[in-house]
Amino acid sequence: MVTVLLSAGWAHRGQKTFACHEGTVRDVIREFVESYPHYRRRLLDDDGEPLTYYNVYLDGDLVKATDRSRVAAPADSTVAIVPPLAGG
């Protein structure tokens, strides 16, 4: 399983850690939203594709939005979803 970490600022009811199946980063995000649909508007566009305004890290390394459909998130990895922060 892949661990998905969600920023505390977006955490619904305080839950920040989730489990998804391995796959591409794109697939992990889509499965996460399928399991927790209240995050859909923040994470997916109208076509069900991941939005590009938030950062995603795989085991601490930034995954560019253009690479999310190619980068694999293997079992026992961690995908962190980080919203943009205001204030610069």
Side-chain angles (χ1 to χ4, degrees):
M1 297 302 285
V2 174
T3 298
V4 176
L5 299 178
L6 192 63
S7 170
W10 279 4
H12 183 69
R13 298 183 183 183
Q15 184 178 0
K16 298 178 282 188
T17 305
F18 306 85
C20 290
H21 293 94
E22 61 187 277
T24 64
V25 171
R26 173 186 174 266
D27 293 340
V28 170
I29 294 169
R30 291 176 73 177
E31 179 187 339
F32 171 74
V33 169
E34 185 177 310
S35 298
Y36 303 94
H38 47 272
Y39 291 108
R40 180 175 175 65
R41 68 176 182 84
R42 292 185 186 265
L43 300 176
L44 300 181
D45 67 16
D46 292 339
D47 296 323
E49 293 300 321
L51 293 165
T52 59
Y53 74 96
Y54 54 88
N55 288 325
V56 177
Y57 295 85
L58 176 62
D59 293 332
D61 295 324
L62 178 65
V63 179
K64 294 180 183 179
T66 55
D67 294 334
R68 293 178 188 170
S69 64
R70 293 190 308 259
V71 174
D76 297 324
S77 63
T78 299
V79 171
I81 300 172
V82 182
L85 302 174

